[in-house]
Every structure is written in structure tokens, then in C-alpha cells.
Amino acid sequence: IFLIALGFSLAQVITPTAAKASSTTAEPVPPQCSDYMILDDPTRTVYYGPEMYCDVYDIATKSPDWQGPAWYRMLPPAGIMMPQKTPGRQRCGTGMAGWLDGQHPEIQFQTTVNARVCFDIDFGPDSNCFQESTTNITNCGQFYVYQLQDTPYCDARYCSYDPVELNMDEVEEKLTGKDLL
């Protein structure tokens, strides 16, 4: 009764942690972190040379793992994420290799909206972003998912790599003088 006279409600006296419990609820997992398609074709890796695959759904040379516009997670043997540097043209099983011109979100469950994806055709020093599109990227904690659209041309495809296995700064050095896969 003394606490009630001081302005405390009966609920605050009986359950002092009720307010704290509601402020420590876990952040909800974005639906795209559990509802996504898989990109895992081995020709999608930055090590793979030219093919004629593209990420356009209704075409004969469609990538084997492409299912049309959707949220996608990249998995081995293709790699686990989109490179943040161009792998060069005629890599990743296509003529125009797609790469992320920007950064992946660093905070869990953070989504980067309208990230720029470039497609390298290598017509000269300024053609590593000959065509472009946008994507949304979500950091799902242990992996990323990308909201990908059909590529702007059929001879274009989203690339993938594994940063543990490959430093993108070393791609050209490792491929120089060697046959591509």
C-alpha cells in the first residue's frame, strides 16, 4: 500500500521485470532468410571461364540453377557470395560477369537496398560496368541473400565466389597464364 501511495501501480510492484522483458525481444528474422532459391552451379564461380549461360528465365541458354526473379542464396561449389570486384569478362560461365559494386551489409538482418550490380564486358578501361542492375541484399547472420532480377542481356550472369578460398585481388594473378576451367 505504501508503494501504491508513492505512485506505483500494483502491476509494477508484483512484476518489476515485465517492462524489461518486452524490450529484450529478439529481432525478427526477415522472411527472405528462410525462403530463397539456391545458386550453386559450379560454372558460376569466378574461376570458371566462358560459356553462354545467362540469368534470364525464358531462354534456351538459361543458367542451370536460375529460376527467375527471386531471393537467392549462393552455395558451393559456386561460392557463397557475390564478388565486390570485377572478376573480368568471360568468367563465371558467361560473357558478362556480374559483380557487386559496393559492400555487403555488415549487421545481422540488415538489408542493403538498391545495391549496384555491374556486368563486365571488357571493351576497355571503363567497361567493367558496361551494363548494370540493382539488387537488395540481406545479411542473414551466417550467409547473404540477394533479391535478383533477370540480367539485362542474355550473355550476362551473377558471379559467385568464396572469400575464404579466394582473395579477389589475386584472381587475375592466379588465372594469368593458366587455362580456365
Side-chain angles (χ1 to χ4, degrees):
I1 294 184
F2 174 72
L3 292 173
I4 294 172
L6 291 175
F8 289 94
S9 72
L10 188 56
Q12 288 172 315
V13 173
I14 295 172
T15 57
T17 59
K20 289 183 183 178
S22 65
S23 66
T24 59
T25 56
E27 188 172 343
V29 176
Q32 63 266 29
C33 289
S34 59
D35 185 16
Y36 51 79
M37 306 292 188
I38 302 290
L39 293 177
D40 63 354
D41 183 68
T43 64
R44 192 174 290 279
T45 181
V46 296
Y47 273 132
Y48 202 87
E51 290 277 347
M52 291 304 296
Y53 289 127
C54 61
D55 290 335
V56 177
Y57 188 70
D58 290 326
I59 198 149
T61 55
K62 174 184 79 68
S63 300
D65 54 358
W66 184 252
Q67 298 181 49
W71 283 97
Y72 284 91
R73 177 181 178 184
M74 297 178 172
L75 288 173
I80 61 169
M81 65 190 294
M82 197 177 297
Q84 295 175 174
K85 182 177 180 182
T86 179
R89 78 180 192 95
Q90 298 206 2
R91 300 272 199 271
C92 312
T94 192
M96 295 172 58
W99 57 281
L100 179 63
D101 183 24
Q103 300 296 312
H104 286 80
E106 295 180 11
I107 301 169
Q108 183 171 317
F109 304 143
Q110 177 184 18
T111 297
T112 300
V113 178
N114 294 325
R116 182 179 182 210
V117 176
C118 289
F119 297 92
D120 189 338
I121 198 159
D122 199 20
F123 279 152
D126 297 324
S127 64
N128 63 353
C129 197
F130 179 72
Q131 286 293 315
E132 63 182 79
S133 67
T134 59
T135 184
N136 297 329
I137 308 165
T138 299
N139 178 335
C140 293
Q142 299 297 313
F143 59 93
Y144 297 101
V145 290
Y146 305 83
Q147 189 175 29
L148 301 175
Q149 303 301 315
D150 282 343
T151 54
Y153 288 103
C154 184
D155 200 16
R157 190 181 197 201
Y158 300 103
C159 288
S160 185
Y161 87 114
D162 187 336
V164 173
E165 295 177 5
L166 177 66
N167 177 339
M168 284 304 294
D169 293 331
E170 299 171 359
V171 170
E172 196 62 38
E173 179 182 320
K174 288 184 177 188
L175 293 175
T176 302
K178 295 183 180 179
D179 292 332
L180 298 173
L181 298 175

